[in-house]
Amino acid sequence: MQYQELHVSKNISVLHSNRLFLVVAAFFVIVGALFHFLPSLNKWLFVFINSIFPNPNFWLAITTIGDGAVAGCLFYLLFLKSNDVLAKGLVGAVIGLAASEGLKRLFAISRPEHTIGFGDFHLLTDSMAATNYSMPSGHVITAFLLGTFLFQYLKLNVIVKVVLIIILLLIAVSRIALGVHWPADVFVGGGLGIIIAVMCGLLPITIKRGWQKLTVHILYLPFLLYGVFKYF
C-alpha cells in the first residue's frame, strides 16, 4: 500500500513537471513565431544582442556546449549508469536532428549573413553556405533537450538549477551573438528541445539485458569520435 502511494505520488510529480515544461515550451514557440512574423522586431533584437559583447572566444566556448557531439558526450557521462535514460537520450538526439534539418528545409529561412539588405552586424564565426538555413537553431534544440533531461532525471538543488538555466540561456544568446541565428530561430529551437525531451521521457523504454546495455553504450561512440574529429 505504501509503495503504491509513493508510486502515485511520483507519477503526479512527473505529470506536474511535464506540464510546466510544456507550458514553457509553448511560450518559446509562440514568441518565436511572433518574432518571425514581425521581421523588423526580429532584426532589431538580433542587432541589439549581437552588438552587446562581440567577443568570439567567449561565445564560441559557450555555443560549443550546444554542439551535438559535445552534448552527446556530456549526456553519456552524466547518465552513464542509467541505461534507460541513455536510450531515451539517443531517441531524443535522432528526433532533434530530424526536426532541426527537416524544419530548416521546410521553412528555408536565410541566416542573417545571407539576408539581402542586412549586413551591419558582427559575424564571429565561419561563414556558412546559403543553403544552410536558419530556422530553428539546432544548437538550441540540443541544449534545451539536454537541459530538460537534466531537470527530469537528476536531483538538483536550487543553486545548480539556476546555474543550469543561466547556461542554457547563454547558449541560446550565443547563437545570436555569433551572428548565425535570428531570435525567432532561438526561441523555436528552445521550445522544440523541451518538447522532444518531454516526449522521450514518457517512452516506456527498459534496458535490462546485457546485449541491450552494450548496444546503448556503443551507440554513444559516434558522439565521441565526431567530437574528437571536429575539435582536435
Side-chain angles (χ1 to χ4, degrees):
M1 184 67 177
Q2 185 178 4
Y3 172 78
Q4 290 179 339
E5 290 176 353
L6 289 173
H7 186 68
V8 171
S9 177
K10 182 179 179 180
N11 287 340
I12 293 175
S13 177
V14 171
L15 179 61
H16 288 167
S17 176
N18 285 342
R19 284 179 177 175
L20 177 60
F21 285 132
L22 291 176
V23 167
V24 173
F27 172 77
F28 283 164
V29 172
I30 291 171
V31 172
L34 287 175
F35 274 107
H36 172 67
F37 289 110
L38 296 172
S40 58
L41 183 61
N42 201 25
K43 291 179 180 179
W44 175 84
L45 183 59
F46 171 86
V47 172
F48 176 76
I49 294 175
N50 181 258
S51 63
I52 292 177
F53 184 56
N55 185 306
N57 294 328
F58 175 79
W59 291 118
L60 284 171
I62 293 294
T63 208
T64 298
I65 303 173
D67 180 86
V70 176
C73 291
L74 288 173
F75 190 87
Y76 179 76
L77 292 174
L78 290 168
F79 295 104
L80 183 61
K81 297 182 179 181
S82 182
N83 296 297
D84 295 352
V85 179
L86 286 178
K88 293 178 181 182
L90 286 172
V91 176
V94 173
I95 295 175
L97 179 61
S100 174
E101 295 303 317
L103 291 175
K104 282 178 180 178
R105 285 174 169 74
L106 177 64
F107 295 125
I109 297 172
S110 297
R111 292 179 184 267
E113 64 175 306
H114 297 299
T115 300
I116 298 175
F118 186 79
D120 189 17
F121 66 93
H122 301 284
L123 181 62
L124 304 181
T125 187
D126 296 334
S127 181
M128 298 184 184
T131 54
N132 189 337
Y133 297 116
S134 190
M135 168 77 82
S137 168
H139 278 69
V140 179
I141 288 178
T142 301
F144 278 73
L145 173 63
L146 172 62
T148 305
F149 267 112
L150 296 182
F151 274 109
Q152 286 180 316
Y153 292 104
L154 296 182
K155 293 182 179 179
L156 309 174
N157 60 40
V158 175
I159 295 177
V160 175
K161 287 181 179 179
V162 171
V163 171
L164 178 55
I165 290 173
I166 291 174
I167 292 173
L168 292 175
L169 292 177
L170 283 174
I171 294 171
V173 170
S174 74
R175 305 309 291 164
I176 303 172
L178 289 170
V180 294
H181 277 290
W182 302 104
D185 310 335
V186 168
F187 276 108
V188 172
L192 288 175
I194 295 172
I195 291 171
I196 294 169
V198 171
M199 289 172 52
C200 292
L202 296 174
L203 293 174
I205 295 177
T206 303
I207 305 296
K208 292 184 178 180
R209 297 181 180 180
W211 68 269
Q212 293 175 325
K213 297 177 182 179
L214 180 61
T215 301
V216 168
H217 288 269
I218 289 176
L219 288 174
Y220 274 89
L221 187 58
F223 292 103
L224 175 61
L225 295 177
Y226 181 66
V228 170
F229 175 78
K230 184 174 182 179
Y231 292 104
F232 296 100

